[in-house]
Amino acid sequence: MSYSLATDLTTQQKRINDFLAEKLNHYEAFHSPLINAMEYAVLLGGKRVRPFLIYATGRMLGVPLEKLDHSAAAMESIHAYSLVHDDLPAMDDDKLRRGKPTCHIAFDEATATLAGDALQSFAFELLVTDPHISDKEKVAQVRELTSAAGAKGMCLGQSLDLIAENKSVNLEELELIHRNKTGALILSSVMMGFNLSDYSQNLAIKQPLVNYAKAIGLAFQVQDDILDVIGETDKIGKTVGSDENLNKSTYPKLLGLDGAKQKAETLYQTALSSLEQLPFDTTALKELADFIVKREN
């Protein structure tokens, strides 16, 4: 039977959504909208690319899916918190996320801020209470996610992105922003799947995966920039032209639209070349790379 990325994505999306909903259901609301806002933020929808990378990488390396659930949910919780904060008036001031009102519009700014904070804590609670992994593996997962999410990764990228508004940055500076803001969590997703495998100390397996993840992480952002120019609001789930309205530097602005498309294609080929170095069935990771550079949302 031939592999279908669409089917696989749908299956893993349901798995992670059900898992997150079940874990959040254990929280009592105490007459506060906080839990509702957390659920709204993390269960709003989305492609679930980062959890999928954890599942696909781990599965490829022989890791049972139940050993990957907590890590996948933790990653998606961090991603969701980052989007809630990214959408706030103090950041990008976005009104739409995944085709629906952003968290601070659906609730209010204070509740959205607290929901983001709580989702961050929730992520690490998921990791340290995972009954399927050893204490050593818990430490490895926490170390990986903290590094990728904080001032060495995603938060640094967001800070650099804000500083770059209304300024001209060169290609090297733009890549630094996005290798941190977008790429860090994508790289971390692949590594969190890898960390729970029997190959976790094998550098010959690790390095091609790192190269693959770095390539698709940057390609993801390049395609986002392209869609901000040529996408449709009802497809991409947010307002087209929002980057232009904030006067952000983007790949189409620096390279032209055709140049940005070529950049995405080059990164795609780098990702495929990296996977060719692995002695495993890399079909799912190959298909995901293809999806990232050809998606319309």
Side-chain angles (χ1 to χ4, degrees):
M1 185 174 179
S2 62
Y3 175 79
S4 167
L5 178 67
T7 300
D8 200 3
L9 272 172
T10 299
T11 300
Q12 304 314 324
Q13 285 166 354
K14 184 178 187 309
R15 184 182 184 94
I16 194 63
N17 289 344
D18 289 348
F19 186 86
L20 283 163
E22 189 268 328
K23 292 298 179 183
L24 283 169
N25 193 47
H26 291 167
Y27 281 75
E28 292 187 49
F30 295 111
H31 308 293
S32 164
L34 177 62
I35 307 305
N36 291 336
M38 290 171 68
E39 291 174 336
Y40 183 85
V42 79
L43 298 174
L44 187 61
K47 294 174 283 295
R48 305 303 197 220
V49 165
R50 293 155 191 82
F52 181 82
L53 280 167
I54 293 176
Y55 285 130
T57 302
R59 184 179 60 194
M60 179 184 74
L61 299 175
V63 183
L65 290 183
E66 59 268 20
K67 189 176 177 179
L68 299 163
D69 285 327
H70 282 74
S71 293
M75 175 59 71
E76 189 61 25
S77 298
I78 289 291
H79 178 54
Y81 119 71
S82 76
L83 297 182
V84 170
H85 284 191
D86 193 36
D87 290 335
L88 288 169
M91 299 280 194
D92 287 353
D93 195 16
D94 278 325
K95 304 298 188 293
L96 282 178
R97 171 68 65 180
R98 295 167 175 166
K100 297 179 181 178
T102 48
C103 193
H104 69 277
I105 298 296
F107 294 86
D108 56 68
E109 286 184 42
T111 300
T113 302
L114 289 170
D117 294 342
L119 282 168
Q120 185 184 49
S121 299
F122 176 59
F124 294 105
E125 179 184 350
L126 286 167
L127 291 180
V128 300
T129 59
D130 188 345
H132 301 290
I133 65 177
S134 68
D135 287 347
K136 183 178 180 180
E137 287 171 325
K138 289 177 184 177
V139 171
Q141 297 300 71
V142 170
R143 181 185 294 120
E144 178 63 48
L145 191 52
T146 51
S147 179
K152 296 178 181 178
M154 180 189 70
C155 286
L156 171 62
Q158 176 66 4
S159 176
L160 293 174
D161 192 36
L162 290 169
I163 292 168
E165 287 181 9
N166 298 309
K167 295 181 181 177
S168 295
V169 301
N170 60 36
L171 189 60
E172 183 179 358
E173 292 168 328
L174 188 63
E175 291 201 1
L176 177 63
I177 291 170
H178 293 307
R179 286 196 183 278
N180 285 282
K181 183 180 178 182
T182 303
L185 288 189
I186 287 179
L187 172 58
S188 185
S189 297
V190 173
M191 289 299 98
M192 289 177 80
F194 170 77
N195 287 346
L196 298 182
S197 75
D198 292 339
Y199 302 93
S200 61
Q201 302 304 311
N202 189 325
L203 293 180
I205 302 300
K206 180 178 181 178
Q207 194 56 55
L209 285 172
V210 168
N211 295 340
Y212 164 82
K214 285 183 175 180
I216 64 165
L218 195 54
F220 195 96
Q221 184 59 52
V222 175
Q223 185 64 11
D224 260 5
D225 286 358
I226 291 169
L227 290 174
D228 192 67
V229 177
I230 65 172
E232 299 175 25
T233 296
D234 61 343
K235 285 187 177 181
I236 68 174
K238 59 182 181 179
T239 305
V240 171
S242 59
D243 290 342
E244 182 65 29
N245 293 337
L246 290 169
N247 199 22
K248 288 188 175 185
S249 291
T250 64
Y251 287 93
K253 186 179 286 187
L254 285 182
L255 302 175
L257 187 57
D258 287 342
K261 290 179 178 179
Q262 182 56 53
K263 176 74 173 178
E265 177 63 24
T266 299
L267 290 165
Y268 169 64
Q269 293 301 330
T270 297
L272 295 188
S273 297
S274 300
L275 292 178
E276 288 174 359
Q277 300 171 41
L278 295 171
F280 305 102
D281 181 358
T282 60
T283 301
L285 295 181
K286 287 178 181 176
E287 292 292 322
L288 185 69
D290 185 72
F291 166 76
I292 283 172
V293 299
K294 294 179 181 178
R295 64 197 167 91
E296 295 182 350
N297 59 21

